[in-house]
Amino acid sequence: FGGILYDAHPKVISTALRLPEDLCSQFKYAWYANHPEAYQYILDCKADESPYEETAFGRRMLLPYEEERGLTHVQKCRANYPTQGTTADIVYRVLLLIKDTELDLQIHDELLQDGYYDLEWDTFLHIHPEVDTPIEVKHGAIWK
């Protein structure tokens, strides 16, 4: 459950997974214990006092105002924005690379195209030198 990465409250995790809150709390803190680097990343993000966060590409994203949304919300955004923003930046760059093809549908970080395209798929693996950008190409039945 991705909410753990953004320090979701056990009640939120419980609601999303339809599991007891105490079990979700145990799972969350066990996950943090098993992934101390991720937990430290969250703590570091929450401690930052900048009015914005940056993606791995350097794009700045203004955070909500604490007076409007509260400190807890802003802290969760601090942990969320760099990851989600970098994902969006990667999708933008892929869209630029496939601009001469016909895009049928985009859902979050997935792109659907009908047809076969002569693209250099390895290009997509190195959109950012420090971010792993795996790509999976599937071919399905032809719809008519």
Side-chain angles (χ1 to χ4, degrees):
F1 178 71
I4 291 174
L5 295 174
Y6 309 118
D7 201 25
H9 190 278
K11 184 172 185 146
V12 172
I13 300 167
S14 171
T15 301
L17 298 179
R18 297 186 179 125
L19 294 171
E21 188 175 334
D22 61 331
L23 179 65
C24 292
S25 181
Q26 291 172 21
F27 177 74
K28 174 182 173 177
Y29 294 108
W31 191 90
Y32 285 161
N34 286 322
H35 302 283
E37 307 87 9
Y39 184 57
Q40 188 60 52
Y41 170 80
I42 292 168
L43 294 176
D44 291 346
C45 287
K46 289 169 77 170
D48 188 6
E49 294 186 9
S50 171
Y52 61 86
E53 285 296 329
E54 288 189 17
T55 69
F57 294 94
R59 182 169 59 93
R60 291 182 175 181
M61 299 160 291
L62 187 61
L63 291 160
Y65 294 112
E66 185 178 330
E67 300 77 26
E68 293 177 11
R69 300 299 303 267
L71 178 60
T72 301
H73 179 78
V74 173
Q75 287 177 331
K76 290 180 189 299
C77 289
R78 287 186 187 287
N80 184 338
Y81 279 21
T83 304
Q84 294 295 323
T86 297
T87 301
D89 288 354
I90 289 168
V91 171
Y92 296 153
R93 284 163 170 74
V94 169
L95 289 170
L96 290 171
L97 291 170
I98 64 169
K99 67 180 183 222
D100 295 328
T101 66
E102 186 175 324
L103 178 64
D104 294 315
L105 182 64
Q106 175 189 350
I107 302 174
H108 302 293
D109 60 351
E110 293 188 22
L111 306 174
L112 174 67
Q113 293 181 282
D114 287 332
Y116 291 92
Y117 297 97
D118 186 26
L119 297 171
E120 296 293 327
W121 299 112
D122 288 348
T123 303
F124 299 98
L125 298 173
H126 308 290
I127 291 173
H128 188 283
E130 297 173 14
V131 178
D132 183 29
T133 53
I135 183 170
E136 184 176 351
V137 178
K138 294 182 181 179
H139 298 283
I142 298 174
W143 292 14
K144 291 189 178 196

